[in-house]
Amino acid sequence: MLRRHPLPFLGLAVMAMALAQLGPVLELAARVGPSLLIQPIFGFAGLLPLEMYFIPRMQAQLDAELRDAPGNPARSWREVFEGRWLRAFLLRLGLSVAIGLGLLCFLIPGILVLTLFGWAPLRVLLRGDAPVPALRWSQTAMARQWPRIVQAVLAMLLVALVYQIAAGWALDRLLPAVDPEVGPGALLRLKHPAFWIFNLLGGALNLWLSCSLLALYHRLEAATAAPAP
């Protein structure tokens, strides 16, 4: 999938790098000190346009080109996407809150919500289902196919974990000594080229994960359409 449009994907990776650097800019504008609690909040705010619009748009385009399904036809995928992206994002945001609360409370409920209903936002975005039918479809599909899906997702997460470990190891050796309780300051994260490089690589990894999840969704959709064994 990434090879279909290499230049736009490279542009998205560069955009991810630039948006990731908005986090330190927001910290400086808010005049807050270094904090391991504040950094993820501002980092999420900086990446919000990418996660909210540009990556779903990429997934909608690829789905239309590869499947040309009635719910997302190749000839009009742009108009279809513009009518659905906000609804799909709000459903994804609501699921993220439910998953986060479940993980904080008892861990297992959060994992169950993610496993059973995690495909609902893609279903809304790509096939036009309403939120409740999309949640039901995700639950029914995962009830039949969850062992294979979980194995594939764990393999993707392993790739992301290896990257995070390698990036953390490299940053520990490239950066000057900082307080581990607060992390590197905003100015350091803005000026040091290592952060720009790893944000670019992280953006490319995010695009790869998004395409991998789309390919997995296509497999799940095909398996669900087949007769039950």
Side-chain angles (χ1 to χ4, degrees), residues 119 123 126-127 137 213-221:
W119 297 109
R123 187 73 180 179
L126 301 180
R127 299 297 174 259
W137 180 89
L213 288 173
L214 177 60
L216 192 58
Y217 170 81
H218 286 162
R219 297 283 185 93
L220 179 62
E221 196 174 48

Side-chain angles (χ1 to χ4, degrees), residues 22-121:
L22 278 180
V25 172
L26 293 174
E27 290 179 40
L28 293 173
R31 298 182 180 179
V32 296
S35 169
L36 292 181
L37 176 63
I38 294 296
Q39 290 179 16
I41 295 175
F42 283 112
F44 172 77
L47 289 172
L48 192 59
L50 190 72
E51 298 290 340
M52 185 177 181
Y53 185 84
F54 290 102
I55 287 181
R57 190 179 191 277
M58 173 197 73
Q59 291 176 317
Q61 179 181 2
L62 290 172
D63 175 76
E65 293 174 352
L66 295 170
R67 289 294 183 269
D68 195 17
N72 188 30
R75 66 181 182 278
S76 59
W77 70 267
R78 292 177 180 82
E79 294 79 7
V80 170
F81 169 77
E82 292 296 336
R84 295 176 182 167
W85 68 268
L86 182 57
R87 182 175 53 180
F89 174 76
L90 292 176
L91 178 58
R92 179 182 172 188
L93 187 62
L95 280 175
S96 298
V97 172
I99 292 166
L101 291 176
L103 292 174
L104 286 175
C105 295
F106 301 105
L107 186 64
I108 299 300
I111 296 175
L112 288 177
V113 171
L114 176 61
T115 303
L116 292 176
F117 304 114
W119 297 109

Side-chain angles (χ1 to χ4, degrees), residues 165-178:
I165 292 174
W169 178 87
L171 285 174
D172 285 341
R173 281 148 183 80
L174 292 172
L175 298 180
V178 296

